[in-house]
Amino acid sequence: MLISSACGGGTTAPTVVAPAPSPTPPPGPPKPLDGATITVTAVGFTLDPASASKFVLRDIHVYQGAQLTFINTDIQPHDVLSDPPHIHTDCPELNTAGYLVPGQSRTTDPLNRIMTCGFHDHTHEGDPAFSGKVTIEAR
């Protein structure tokens, strides 16, 4: 006698559909910095790596009360002052960086006014490599 049995015919697992992930909102602008360090070299200003990961030298954003530190790594002196060129009155707090001999560093006064200020190396006025802009924002 032969007995045959059929296999199969079991139940099929239901297909589970996961809900679509909600769209991630685009990232907003980076938060302002508590301060930044700018190195003055023979070829221009450079922003410290941590700050440069968020901002470019022509558009630094800091919180009200922050200070900028300028370090002269060149073999020549440099004179860091506020814009506008030849007048230097937009942000007098920046003028305290002032004249830097080789190897010297100096920190600006606290940037307390909510505004945007340009700065430049007076010894290289008109050279975009020796200029920047900082926007002071409320905390």
Side-chain angles (χ1 to χ4, degrees):
M1 222 173 38
L2 227 89
I3 301 178
S4 86
S5 68
C7 291
T11 60
T12 304
T15 304
V16 177
V17 177
S22 56
T24 304
K31 291 183 179 180
L33 305 168
D34 290 316
T37 299
I38 299 163
T39 302
V40 186
T41 70
V43 296
F45 292 155
T46 59
L47 195 54
D48 66 273
S51 301
S53 70
K54 298 177 182 178
F55 296 101
V56 294
L57 196 55
R58 299 203 183 286
D59 192 26
I60 304 168
H61 289 248
V62 297
Y63 282 118
Q64 189 174 19
Q67 295 173 284
L68 302 181
T69 300
F70 289 86
I71 302 169
N72 182 2
T73 62
D74 191 9
I75 60 171
Q76 299 294 321
H78 293 272
D79 196 8
V80 179
L81 297 167
S82 171
D83 283 351
H86 303 292
I87 300 173
H88 315 291
T89 56
D90 283 356
C91 282
E93 304 88 346
L94 293 169
N95 295 340
T96 58
Y99 191 79
L100 301 168
V101 297
Q104 186 177 21
S105 68
R106 193 171 295 133
T107 301
T108 67
D109 285 343
L111 301 166
N112 291 320
R113 295 178 296 145
I114 297 175
M115 62 185 300
T116 298
C117 304
F119 56 89
H120 62 277
D121 180 351
H122 188 71
T123 60
H124 290 89
E125 280 189 8
D127 184 343
F130 288 92
S131 65
K133 182 176 74 170
V134 59
T135 299
I136 302 107
E137 298 183 18
R139 195 169 282 277

